[in-house]
């Protein structure tokens, strides 16, 4: 995680106080970090300063799911009957990439345990009675879900948090005051900072990262979830990014940025797709 954070800081510093397209750099960080958590290696987008083709295709694939999210059977029909459609092709290419990535990971286990380890363990467990196709489908689905849920929700949360910090600089200043005496690499310490926590929570309330992607039918009592590991990981990532960058940079809108476009142009593609967000990061004097 620390290496990915330093890559993000360098990527922003290399803009030399010129506008940064936050949509791209925060997305690259989210997906590169998830690549490390999932497969033991990043997708390399922050190093190459460009989108990985499979991740770019994922955006098109989610565009297929969004309008039919409440009738998922229509998505299944589209995938089976219209494989030549652009969004369906994007979805299938991303799924093929996930399959190839996890198969490659199976041939070369990393030194440390990653998320894919648990998926592969289930896939290879002889005590679970499933057909080979069912095993493969579950492995494929788990991998795709991990990439989308682990990256494509953190990404809009980061974008919207930076948008709000630039729009309300007094709150950025209050967080900076909390960070002055805090080790910004200490995730446990950051979790105790009240204003940092309040801003992140309010950002996710105003701009939910999963707009229509989390809908469920529940009983009158609702749905109670005791523990969500993915949520804790995402919050840790967001705290670390906000803390590290705010301690190093002041953030503001460039003159040409249409401030309202971030929210006005937001799309619901299962996860939130914020409008363009250009920000200026000016190094603080040390």
């Amino acid at each position: 995680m620390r290496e990915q954070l330093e890559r993000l800081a360098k990527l922003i510093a290399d803009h030399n106080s010129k506008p940064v397209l936050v949509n791209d750099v925060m997305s690259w960080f989210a997906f590169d970090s998830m690549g490390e958590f999932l497969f033991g290696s990043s997708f390399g987008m922050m190093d190459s300063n460009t989108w990985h083709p499979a991740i770019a295709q994922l955006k098109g694939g989610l565009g297929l799911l969004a309008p039919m999210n409440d009738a998922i059977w229509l998505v299944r029909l589209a995938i089976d009957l219209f494989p030549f459609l652009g969004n369906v092709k994007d979805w299938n290419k991303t799924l093929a990439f996930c399959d190839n990535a996890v198969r490659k990971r199976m041939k070369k286990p990393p030194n440390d345990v990653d998320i894919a380890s648990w998926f592969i363990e289930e896939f290879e467990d002889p005590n679970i009675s499933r057909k080979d196709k069912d095993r493969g489908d579950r492995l494929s689905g788990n991998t795709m879900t991990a990439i989308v849920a682990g990256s494509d929700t953190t990404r809009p949360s980061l974008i919207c948090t930076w948008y709000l910090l630039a729009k309300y600089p007094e709150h950025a200043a209050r967080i900076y005051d909390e960070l002055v005496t805090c080790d910004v690499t200490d995730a446990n310490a950051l979790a105790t900072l009240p204003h940092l926590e309040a801003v992140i929570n309010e950002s996710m309330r105003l701009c939910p990262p999963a707009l229509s992607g989390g809908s469920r039918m529940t009983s009158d009592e609702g749905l109670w979830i005791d523990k969500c590991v993915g949520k804790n990981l995402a919050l840790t990532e967001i705290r670390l990014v906000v803390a590290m960058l705010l301690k190093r940079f002041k953030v503001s809108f460039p003159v040409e940025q249409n401030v309202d476009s971030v929210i006005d142009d937001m799309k619901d593609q299962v996860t939130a797709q914020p409008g363009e967000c250009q920000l200026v990061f000016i190094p603080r004097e040390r």
Side-chain angles (χ1 to χ4, degrees), residues 151-188:
S151 308
D152 216 45
T153 51
T154 303
R155 175 192 57 77
S157 296
L158 284 168
I159 295 168
C160 291
T161 298
W162 284 112
Y163 156 72
L164 290 169
L165 287 172
K167 188 172 183 179
Y168 302 101
E170 64 274 19
H171 291 286
R174 289 183 63 179
I175 293 175
Y176 178 75
D177 289 341
E178 290 182 331
L179 298 173
V180 170
T181 58
C182 182
D183 178 2
V184 295
T185 66
D186 186 340
N188 292 326

Side-chain angles (χ1 to χ4, degrees), residues 209-249:
L211 295 175
S212 62
S215 57
R216 296 287 187 275
M217 291 185 67
T218 65
S219 66
D220 294 339
E221 290 75 30
L223 177 66
W224 292 87
I225 301 176
D226 295 330
K227 186 176 182 181
C228 179
V229 176
K231 176 184 175 182
N232 293 333
L233 175 60
L235 287 173
T236 298
E237 283 188 274
I238 296 169
R239 292 185 197 112
L240 287 166
V241 170
V242 173
M244 185 193 67
L245 294 183
L246 263 189
K247 197 159 186 177
R248 298 186 188 187
F249 303 94

Side-chain angles (χ1 to χ4, degrees), residues 269-283:
Q269 294 185 343
V270 181
T271 55
Q273 308 291 325
E276 182 177 293
C277 181
Q278 298 262 5
L279 295 179
V280 174
F281 291 81
I282 302 174

Side-chain angles (χ1 to χ4, degrees), residues 2-285:
R2 185 170 297 185
E3 290 180 3
Q4 297 297 342
L5 288 165
E6 289 298 335
R7 286 190 180 97
L8 175 61
K10 183 180 183 303
L11 186 61
I12 288 175
D14 287 348
H15 281 74
N16 297 316
S17 300
K18 294 179 181 178
V20 176
L21 182 56
V22 173
N23 306 64
D24 281 357
V25 297
M26 294 302 155
S27 297
W28 297 341
F29 168 80
F31 282 103
D32 278 357
S33 298
M34 193 60 209
E36 277 203 349
F37 290 132
L38 182 57
F39 299 121
S41 61
S42 79
F43 296 115
M45 291 189 285
M46 286 192 290
D47 289 333
S48 65
N49 206 18
T50 188
W51 286 87
H52 188 290
I55 303 303
Q57 289 160 353
L58 173 62
K59 296 166 68 177
L62 290 176
L64 166 70
L65 296 180
M68 296 182 281
N69 188 54
D70 292 329
I72 201 66
W73 60 273
L74 286 175
V75 178
R76 289 299 317 159
L77 278 179
I79 291 173
D80 290 340
L81 300 180
F82 307 106
F84 50 84
L85 291 179
N87 285 356
V88 176
K89 288 169 68 175
D90 285 339
W91 178 261
N92 286 332
K93 287 178 180 177
T94 303
L95 197 58
F97 165 77
C98 292
D99 290 343
N100 291 333
V102 77
R103 299 289 178 182
K104 181 179 178 181
R105 160 63 183 78
M106 291 169 72
K107 294 177 181 178
K108 189 179 179 181
N111 295 326
D112 299 321
V113 175
D114 53 25
I115 297 174
S117 301
W118 307 106
F119 299 159
I120 295 169
E121 181 180 341
E122 181 190 36
F123 173 77
E124 296 177 338
D125 190 345
N127 296 316
I128 298 177
S129 178
R130 288 197 190 104
K131 295 180 180 178
D132 288 346
K133 183 179 183 306
D134 292 338
R135 289 177 182 270
D137 287 347
R138 184 175 289 265
L139 180 63
S140 178
N142 283 339
T143 305
M144 174 68 97
T145 300
I147 291 177
V148 174
S151 308
D152 216 45
T153 51
T154 303
R155 175 192 57 77
S157 296
L158 284 168
I159 295 168
C160 291
T161 298
W162 284 112
Y163 156 72
L164 290 169
L165 287 172
K167 188 172 183 179
Y168 302 101
E170 64 274 19
H171 291 286
R174 289 183 63 179
I175 293 175
Y176 178 75
D177 289 341
E178 290 182 331
L179 298 173
V180 170
T181 58
C182 182
D183 178 2
V184 295
T185 66
D186 186 340
N188 292 326
L190 294 178
T192 67
L193 301 181
H195 207 72
L196 172 62
E197 197 73 2
V199 166
I200 292 172
N201 288 337
E202 183 67 359
S203 171
M204 290 193 291
R205 186 187 71 83
L206 293 172
C207 310
L211 295 175
S212 62
S215 57
R216 296 287 187 275
M217 291 185 67
T218 65
S219 66
D220 294 339
E221 290 75 30
L223 177 66
W224 292 87
I225 301 176
D226 295 330
K227 186 176 182 181
C228 179
V229 176
K231 176 184 175 182
N232 293 333
L233 175 60
L235 287 173
T236 298
E237 283 188 274
I238 296 169
R239 292 185 197 112
L240 287 166
V241 170
V242 173
M244 185 193 67
L245 294 183
L246 263 189
K247 197 159 186 177
R248 298 186 188 187
F249 303 94
K250 294 180 180 178
V251 62
S252 61
F253 291 111
V255 175
E256 61 270 24
Q257 171 70 37
N258 177 358
V259 176
D260 295 330
S261 68
V262 178
I263 300 300
D264 292 347
D265 296 342
M266 185 178 294
K267 297 179 181 178
D268 178 2
Q269 294 185 343
V270 181
T271 55
Q273 308 291 325
E276 182 177 293
C277 181
Q278 298 262 5
L279 295 179
V280 174
F281 291 81
I282 302 174
R284 295 181 185 273
E285 295 182 3

